[in-house]
Structures are given as C-alpha cells and as structure tokens.
C-alpha cells in the first residue's frame, strides 16, 4: 500500500532539471523528495516491516514445532549396567539421540484470530504510512506556495522602489520649477528608504520560507535552494458547487484517518476473540523418537565379555516412538483469562469512541475548510475591488502632487495604502489557493492543479 506521488500529485508543474545547485525545484519534485527522505516516513516504513514480521509469526503458529536432541555421556564408578541390570564398578559411555514434534490441533481459534489480527495490524501500519505521506505532501504544498507568495511580494516591493526612484527625479524637477516646496524631497527620500526596508524584509521572508521548505526536504544547503517560478490565475473553484454535506459523505469513504480508526476497531474485536479463546480447551498432537548406544562390553555368560553391537545396529535395536494427543482444559487461572476478556472489551469501546471522534473531527474540519475557502474567495474578490479603488486614488493624488495641488504626505499616504492593498491581494490569493486545495483533497481530488505559465 505504499503511496506514490501519482496518487497525491495530478501533474508536474514544470519540467527540466539542471545541475543540483542550480536546480529549480518543481512542486512534484519537492513532494517526491520529501516523501523519499522524510525521517518520520522512514520510521513508519520500519514499522511496516515489523508488522510483516509479526504476520509471519502468526502464520508460524499453524506449523509444528520440531526439535532434535543428541548427547554423549561418561559414567564413572558404581553404575547399573543398562544391559544386565547389575550394579558394576565401571566406566561406560552412552550416546542418545532423539527428535520430537508437536502441533496445535485446536487452541480455541486463537491461532486463526492472531493471524487475522496480524493482517489487520499490517493494514493499519500501511494506512499510517499513507497518512504520514499525505501530511508531508500537504506541508510541502503549503511551504511551496509560501515561497511563491514571498517571491511575488518581493517583486512588488522592488517595482515600487523603482517607481519611487523615478518619482524622486520628477519631484526634483518640480522643485526646480517651483511647483512644489523643496521640503517634499525629504518626504520622497524617506519613502525610498522605507521601500528599501520593505525589500530587505521581503528578502528575509523569502529566505526563511526557502529554508523551511529545504528542511522539509532534508536539504542542507538551503541558500542554494530555489523553486520554479509559476503563476496562478484566480478562478472560481468548481468545488463550491458541492455542499459540505456531499464533501463529508465523499470523505468518509476514502479518508485515511477514518480507515485507520475503522481498522483499529476490527483489531480490538480480534483481541476479544483471542482473549476468549484462552478459556476454551486446547488439543495438541505430539510425537517423539529416541534411541541410544552403549559402548560397554556385554558378559557372555561364561565369565567373559563380548563387544557390543555396532553403532547403527544399536540405534535400530533400542529405538522407540512416542506419540499421542494432549487435551488441556483451563479450569482456573486466577481470573487472568476473564480479566483479559474484560480488558479487551474496554479497548474495543475505546476504539469505537475514537472512530466516532474521528468522524466528528473530520466533519468539523470539512465544514471549517469549506467556510475558510469560501471566506478566502470572498476576501480576494473584495480586496481586488479595493485595489482598483486604491489605484485610482493613487493616480489622482499623483496627478495632484505633480501639479502642486497635494503635499508629499498625501502622495506617500496614498502610495502606502496602495502597496498594502497589493500585499493583501497577494496574501488573499495564495490563502484562497491553499484552502481550496485542502477542500479538494477532502473531496478526493489532487492537492493542487497544474498551474498556468506566465
């Protein structure tokens, strides 16, 4: 059940890779790299391996246990001659070999239920792996969009600085022409200084956002890290044609956290079956083989001794078989079996409550995500109208300032409001973009769509 980026990602944003230090990372590449190198995902992958081993253990319970033994001993002193049965003061050697096997025929269905539980535990571990990959991908998308937002913010601040630099030249000409007082030049120079300060802040914010994404990708050289420049056009999202109820209904069938909670309920039910099986009789089949070899000489009845039979002849002569069935009936175990059943039932109830809480959390998250996405869309549209008004106001104040009908303070204040509104619009656009992607993700759609190129 290992998730691939094709499940999360619908399409690459850009193609083409240069040398690593100059590589412009696409969102597809960032998600792939993060999933491959994230430490938490690697840890869960190891948990998956342990779950697979546990499943093999559960399967092994159906197989017989087979053991073989062999020994060689020396007896010195007064011992019973195993051949004659007479006590003799002698030194003898013995070799014995044996083998035994036993197999569970019936154990209250515990082996079957342990095997089923191990399979469910493996599925749960795989769901945990999937959930972690989804969380990492979502964090990467958020960090990626944050870099794009900071890039556009830096571009706006840089363009504004260039515009104000030209305006300072024009203001000098107006002062020379006597149309505005010379004191307005100081206001314009202060505005340029503020522009530089904003550029520095934007560059720092961009550097921090790059560093955050580089850390998600487990990259060390974040200063050389950069992403591909992409542009998104604002468009009303079709997801709003869906109601929160329909999105929740769709999410209930596919969200990983719900599948984990549902699977945990099934595991808890199997734990009860296993605990109940300990109160039932068990039937074990067993078989053992043994033989021995003695190196002591055998009396011939006439006061002499003869050599014992050959090694393999003795193994055949003294071989023995033991087999049968063993029935074990539990009668009293200090309430251990009863308490285990009761404990398993409590855990089952906890799992059911956790499933119920997960469903409530999912419903609340979807309604919240729907409201946030819709609010982000309305904020963007309202900010866009505000920007149009600010642009007209700035154009009007700029004309008045150049004609000597407005002060530099009026000009700078109008410009500050315009720049702030431009930043608000960028923030609203990327907030809308991310929140709609979350809503689409709940609905079973890709985390993001292929962006439009410039």
């Amino acid at each position: 059940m290992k998730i691939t980026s094709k499940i999360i990602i619908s399409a690459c944003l850009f193609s083409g890779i240069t040398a690593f230090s100059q590589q412009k990372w696409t969102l597809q590449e960032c998600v792939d790299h993060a999933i491959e190198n994230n430490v938490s995902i690697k840890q869960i992958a190891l948990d998956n391996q342990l779950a697979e081993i546990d499943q093999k253990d559960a399967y092994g319970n159906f197989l017989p246990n087979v053991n073989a033994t062999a020994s060689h001993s020396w007896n010195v002193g007064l011992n019973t001659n195993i051949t004659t049965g007479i006590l003799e003061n002698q030194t003898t050697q013995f070799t014995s070999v044996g083998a035994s096997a036993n197999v569970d025929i019936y154990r209250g269905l515990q082996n079957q239920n342990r095997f089923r539980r191990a399979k469910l535990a493996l599925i749960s571990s795989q769901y945990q792996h999937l959930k972690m990959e989804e969380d990492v991908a979502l964090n990467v998308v958020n960090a990626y969009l944050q870099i794009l937002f900071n890039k556009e913010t830096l571009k706006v601040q840089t363009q504004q600085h260039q515009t104000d630099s030209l305006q300072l030249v024009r203001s000098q000409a107006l002062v020379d022409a006597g149309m505005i007082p010379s004191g307005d030049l100081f206001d314009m120079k202060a505005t340029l200084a503020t522009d530089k300060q904003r550029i520095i802040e934007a560059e720092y914010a961009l550097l921090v956002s790059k560093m955050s994404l580089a850390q998600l990708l487990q990259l060390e050289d974040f200063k050389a890290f950069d992403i591909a420049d992409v542009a998104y056009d604002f468009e009303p999202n079709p997801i709003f044609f869906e109601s929160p109820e329909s999105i929740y209904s769709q999410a209930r069938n596919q969200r990983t956290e719900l599948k984990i909670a549902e699977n945990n309920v099934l595991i808890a039910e199997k734990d009860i079956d296993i605990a109940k099986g300990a109160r039932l009789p068990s039937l074990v089949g067993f078989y053992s083989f043994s033989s021995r070899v003695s190196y002591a000489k055998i009396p011939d009845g006439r006061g002499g001794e003869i050599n014992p039979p050959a090694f393999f002849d003795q193994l055949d002569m003294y071989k023995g078989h033991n087999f049968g069935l063993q029935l074990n009936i539990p009668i009293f175990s200090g309430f251990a079996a009863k308490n285990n059943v009761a404990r398993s039932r409590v855990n089952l109830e906890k799992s059911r409550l956790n499933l119920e809480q997960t469903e409530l959390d999912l419903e609340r998250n979807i309604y919240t995500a729907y409201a946030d996405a819709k609010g982000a869309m309305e904020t963007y549209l309202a900010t866009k109208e505000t920007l149009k008004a600010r642009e007209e106001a700035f154009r009007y104040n700029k004309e008045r300032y150049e004609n000597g009908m407005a002060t530099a303070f009026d000009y700078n204040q109008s410009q500050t409001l315009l720049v702030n509104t431009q930043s608000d619009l960028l923030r609203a656009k990327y907030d809308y973009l991310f929140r709609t992607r979350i809503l689409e993700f709940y609905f079973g759609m890709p985390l993001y769509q292929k962006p439009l190129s410039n």
Side-chain angles (χ1 to χ4, degrees):
M1 190 174 291
K2 177 175 175 59
I3 185 172
T4 62
S5 57
K6 293 182 180 179
I7 299 178
I8 298 181
I9 311 300
S10 60
C12 295
L13 297 182
F14 274 86
S15 61
I17 301 178
T18 61
F20 180 80
S21 60
Q22 301 176 347
Q23 177 181 349
K24 295 284 189 177
W25 290 69
T26 65
L27 185 52
Q28 173 78 43
E29 292 166 348
C30 287
V31 172
D32 289 344
H33 188 86
I35 289 177
E36 183 178 354
N37 295 275
N38 184 267
V39 175
S40 298
I41 292 179
K42 290 181 178 180
Q43 290 175 338
I44 293 184
L46 294 177
D47 292 338
N48 288 346
Q49 295 181 22
L50 293 177
E52 291 175 353
I53 295 173
D54 291 340
Q55 185 178 10
K56 292 179 181 179
D57 284 340
Y59 179 77
N61 291 333
F62 294 99
L63 304 177
N65 293 322
V66 180
N67 298 286
T69 62
S71 66
H72 186 86
S73 61
W74 288 262
N75 292 332
V76 180
L78 188 62
N79 294 285
T80 301
N81 190 318
I82 62 173
T83 304
T84 63
I86 301 173
L87 288 174
E88 298 178 3
N89 196 357
Q90 60 179 351
T91 298
T92 58
Q93 298 182 55
F94 298 96
T95 297
S96 62
V97 295
S100 63
N102 62 76
V103 61
D104 289 333
I105 298 176
Y106 180 78
R107 192 176 286 275
L109 300 179
Q110 284 184 306
N111 290 340
Q112 291 85 342
N113 288 322
R114 285 195 178 98
F115 182 70
R116 292 165 186 156
R117 187 195 186 282
K119 292 175 65 176
L120 292 172
L122 177 59
I123 293 174
S124 183
S125 180
Q126 291 169 340
Y127 279 140
Q128 291 286 356
H129 194 181
L130 173 61
K131 181 66 169 59
M132 180 59 66
E133 290 182 340
E134 291 174 346
D135 292 342
V136 169
L138 195 61
N139 291 334
V140 170
V141 171
N142 187 25
Y144 196 94
L145 294 178
Q146 185 64 40
I147 294 177
L148 292 179
F149 164 71
N150 289 330
K151 279 190 172 185
E152 290 200 31
T153 299
L154 178 58
K155 187 185 299 183
V156 169
Q157 298 297 342
T158 302
Q159 291 174 349
Q160 189 60 50
H161 179 265
Q162 295 172 351
T163 301
D164 289 340
S165 297
L166 295 175
Q167 186 60 42
L168 178 61
V169 175
R170 287 193 292 267
S171 297
Q172 182 66 56
L174 293 175
V175 170
D176 295 340
M179 299 183 64
I180 61 174
S182 59
D184 285 356
L185 289 177
F186 296 106
D187 288 333
M188 293 303 303
K189 291 179 180 179
T191 300
L192 278 178
T194 301
D195 290 343
K196 291 181 180 179
Q197 180 182 352
R198 289 174 176 171
I199 289 175
I200 294 173
E201 293 174 350
E203 289 174 342
Y204 177 74
L206 178 59
L207 178 62
V208 171
S209 61
K210 286 182 178 181
M211 181 177 64
S212 298
L213 181 55
Q215 289 176 340
L216 282 175
L217 302 181
Q218 305 293 320
L219 300 178
E220 296 181 0
D221 188 10
F222 66 89
K223 292 183 179 180
F225 172 75
D226 199 5
I227 65 172
D229 294 325
V230 293
Y232 291 91
D233 285 343
F234 176 87
E235 293 181 356
N237 198 300
I239 193 65
F240 292 113
F241 290 113
E242 302 289 341
S243 65
E245 292 80 7
S246 63
I247 296 176
Y248 174 67
S249 177
Q250 181 78 3
R252 286 196 61 181
N253 297 326
Q254 57 189 10
R255 287 303 304 141
T256 307
E257 57 266 34
L258 271 184
K259 292 180 179 180
I260 293 173
E262 291 170 349
N263 205 61
N264 287 339
V265 171
L266 297 177
I267 291 175
E269 291 174 347
K270 289 303 172 189
D271 285 336
I272 292 180
D273 294 336
I274 294 172
K276 287 181 176 179
R279 301 188 300 187
L280 299 177
S282 62
L283 183 63
V284 178
F286 62 87
Y287 167 80
S288 65
F289 165 84
S290 63
S291 185
R292 59 183 171 79
V293 175
S294 173
Y295 299 89
K297 293 184 178 182
I298 303 172
D300 60 2
R302 294 174 295 180
E305 293 180 335
I306 60 175
N307 292 324
F311 183 88
F312 290 103
D313 292 338
Q314 289 192 61
L315 284 179
D316 184 62
M317 290 169 55
Y318 300 126
K319 66 183 179 182
H321 302 272
N322 181 34
F323 57 89
L325 301 174
Q326 179 178 335
L327 179 64
N328 299 313
I329 302 176
I331 298 176
F332 181 72
S333 58
F335 302 110
K338 180 180 179 181
N339 291 337
N340 285 337
V341 173
R343 188 179 296 107
S344 298
R345 285 175 174 167
V346 172
N347 289 331
L348 173 60
E349 187 62 26
K350 289 175 62 178
S351 298
R352 287 173 175 169
L353 290 175
N354 182 66
L355 173 59
E356 182 179 350
Q357 185 63 51
T358 303
E359 291 175 342
L360 293 174
D361 291 342
L362 178 61
E363 184 178 20
R364 182 180 64 254
N365 291 338
I366 288 176
Y367 274 83
T368 301
Y370 190 91
D372 289 343
K374 197 166 186 179
M377 180 183 67
E378 294 173 353
T379 299
Y380 176 84
L381 295 176
T383 306
K384 190 174 183 179
E385 293 298 320
T386 302
L387 180 61
K388 292 180 180 179
R390 293 296 183 197
E391 290 173 341
E392 292 297 326
F394 176 70
R395 188 179 299 110
Y396 174 73
N397 282 293
K398 180 179 179 182
E399 292 176 356
R400 294 185 71 233
Y401 173 72
E402 291 176 348
N403 293 323
M405 301 175 62
T407 64
F409 174 79
D410 296 330
Y411 174 86
N412 291 335
Q413 186 179 37
S414 178
Q415 179 181 261
T416 299
L417 293 174
L418 174 62
V419 172
N420 290 341
T421 304
Q422 289 174 335
S423 299
D424 291 341
L425 185 65
L426 287 176
R427 187 176 295 105
K429 182 177 76 171
Y430 282 99
D431 184 54
Y432 165 80
L433 181 64
F434 181 66
R435 294 187 183 279
T436 52
R437 294 304 177 266
I438 293 177
L439 199 59
E440 290 175 337
F441 184 52
Y442 280 127
F443 194 62
M445 300 170 63
L447 281 173
Y448 50 86
Q449 297 174 349
K450 186 176 181 179
L452 300 175
S453 59
N454 288 320

